[in-house]
Amino acid sequence: MNIAIIGLGEVGRCYATPLHQAGYTLSLCEMHPSAAAQELAADAGLRIHEQAGPWLAEAQLVLSCVTGTTSLPVLDQVLPHLTKAALVADLTTASPEVKREGSKRAAEAGIRYVDTAIMGAISLGLVRTPLLASGEGASQLKEILEVAGARVQVIAGGKAGDAIALKVLRSIYTKGVEALTVELLMSAERQGVREKLYEQLSDMDRTPVRALMDMLIRTHVIHAKRRAHEVHDAQAELASQGLTSIVLPGVEARFKKTVQALESHPLPVAEPSVEQSLDWLLASAR
């Protein structure tokens, strides 16, 4: 199998060596190859193409490892040179909307397109960094890359755009928790109760993430007013310790927005389900 790698930055180089060692035939492309890219190519005895061209006709798989902002322009340059049997895997950080557009353009050219999201730090995990793949051809991509040691999770029934959307959503959750944890543990440490705090939060270890998130959504729409006051008081407590919160003002604003919506559009039922709560929240956001 001939695999073309477009873009020889950190991501492209990360996959080039293990794919070559796995026995695949590689074609490389980089307009401005770095010293590291040139060394990689020299060690493998490969030429680096400066742009897309007829040489891509031999590629059965194309890994697009360019920046998210150049995802579509590069795709447009690549598609005219590919055969109908080719598969394009977009490993860029382009938005879900861009990747859906990429899938559309590829389909119009008769080419399969896989939205491939890198779910970790490539500099740490290298080829073992988890990948999330969605779109036509995702299962084939998994088979090919796992021969070289990659870890690929295919979203069953997923469409292009789903993988990168889930990556962004996961980031919203983890980065939000990270920011809140920073403020929480700073306050706990200043008061000398950090170890005791871990004990008080240990019950959450026994609650699956999905159950916790669903519970928060269901109860948020019922108790937003009371919780908004609690958040306000928590900010005052942090301020008294000389720790001005950056996170909690946004949290309070979120609760107040729900309270305002409740005043103009009361809940349809006393104890809504997760689906009913989300439907109401989305309707209130219009």
Side-chain angles (χ1 to χ4, degrees), residues 38-57:
Q38 293 173 356
E39 181 180 356
L40 181 151
D43 289 344
L46 299 172
R47 169 191 172 189
I48 299 179
H49 299 273
E50 293 185 357
Q51 60 185 8
W55 58 271
L56 279 165

Side-chain angles (χ1 to χ4, degrees), residues 89 119 206 281:
M119 304 299 287
R206 298 186 289 274
L281 285 165

Side-chain angles (χ1 to χ4, degrees), residues 108-130:
E108 290 172 349
I111 305 297
R112 293 171 300 157
Y113 176 101
V114 182
D115 168 17
T116 313
I118 301 172
M119 304 299 287
I122 202 81
S123 59
L124 297 177
L126 301 177
V127 74
R128 296 292 293 167
T129 306

Side-chain angles (χ1 to χ4, degrees), residues 94-115:
S95 69
E97 182 180 359
V98 167
K99 291 204 174 186
R100 292 179 189 121
E101 175 62 23
S103 177
K104 178 183 176 182
R105 295 184 189 186
E108 290 172 349
I111 305 297
R112 293 171 300 157
Y113 176 101
V114 182
D115 168 17

Side-chain angles (χ1 to χ4, degrees), residues 26-257:
L26 294 189
S27 298
L28 307 177
C29 183
E30 172 62 62
M31 183 176 293
H32 303 291
S34 63
Q38 293 173 356
E39 181 180 356
L40 181 151
D43 289 344
L46 299 172
R47 169 191 172 189
I48 299 179
H49 299 273
E50 293 185 357
Q51 60 185 8
W55 58 271
L56 279 165
E58 299 179 1
Q60 294 156 290
L61 169 63
V62 176
L63 300 182
S64 179
C65 303
V66 297
T67 63
T69 55
T70 59
S71 173
L72 288 180
V74 168
L75 181 65
D76 288 339
Q77 293 169 24
V78 167
L79 288 176
H81 302 288
L82 299 178
T83 65
K84 300 299 182 182
L87 176 67
V88 173
D90 187 337
L91 282 77
T92 75
T93 57
S95 69
E97 182 180 359
V98 167
K99 291 204 174 186
R100 292 179 189 121
E101 175 62 23
S103 177
K104 178 183 176 182
R105 295 184 189 186
E108 290 172 349
I111 305 297
R112 293 171 300 157
Y113 176 101
V114 182
D115 168 17
T116 313
I118 301 172
M119 304 299 287
I122 202 81
S123 59
L124 297 177
L126 301 177
V127 74
R128 296 292 293 167
T129 306
L131 299 176
L132 191 60
S134 61
E136 187 181 1
S139 294
Q140 183 184 2
L141 177 69
K142 175 183 173 71
E143 294 176 4
I144 296 169
L145 294 186
E146 289 190 343
V147 171
R151 299 164 58 195
V152 184
Q153 177 187 353
V154 174
I155 301 174
K159 305 180 295 298
D162 290 354
I164 196 66
L166 288 169
K167 174 184 172 70
V168 173
L169 290 168
R170 178 185 173 89
S171 183
I172 291 172
Y173 181 81
T174 57
K175 301 307 184 292
V177 170
E178 176 184 336
L180 189 60
T181 298
V182 168
E183 295 191 355
L184 176 68
L185 293 189
M186 285 173 63
S187 176
E189 185 73 7
R190 176 156 290 183
Q191 297 178 79
V193 296
R194 181 164 60 86
E195 290 300 325
K196 294 181 177 62
L197 174 64
Y198 293 139
E199 294 176 10
Q200 291 302 310
L201 296 176
S202 63
D203 60 310
M204 295 185 180
D205 293 337
R206 298 186 289 274
T207 305
V209 172
R210 176 169 181 167
L212 175 62
M213 294 177 75
D214 285 355
M215 178 275 291
L216 292 175
I217 283 291
R218 285 187 291 101
T219 59
H220 171 77
V221 296
I222 299 173
H223 302 297
K225 187 173 184 178
R226 172 177 59 79
R227 291 175 179 173
H229 289 298
E230 293 174 355
V231 174
H232 181 80
D233 293 343
Q235 290 182 78
E237 176 59 28
L238 285 178
S240 72
Q241 300 165 23
L243 299 171
T244 302
S245 175
I246 297 173
V247 177
L248 291 181
V251 175
E252 184 178 12
R254 173 63 266 179
F255 280 101
K256 285 184 175 180
K257 184 173 179 62

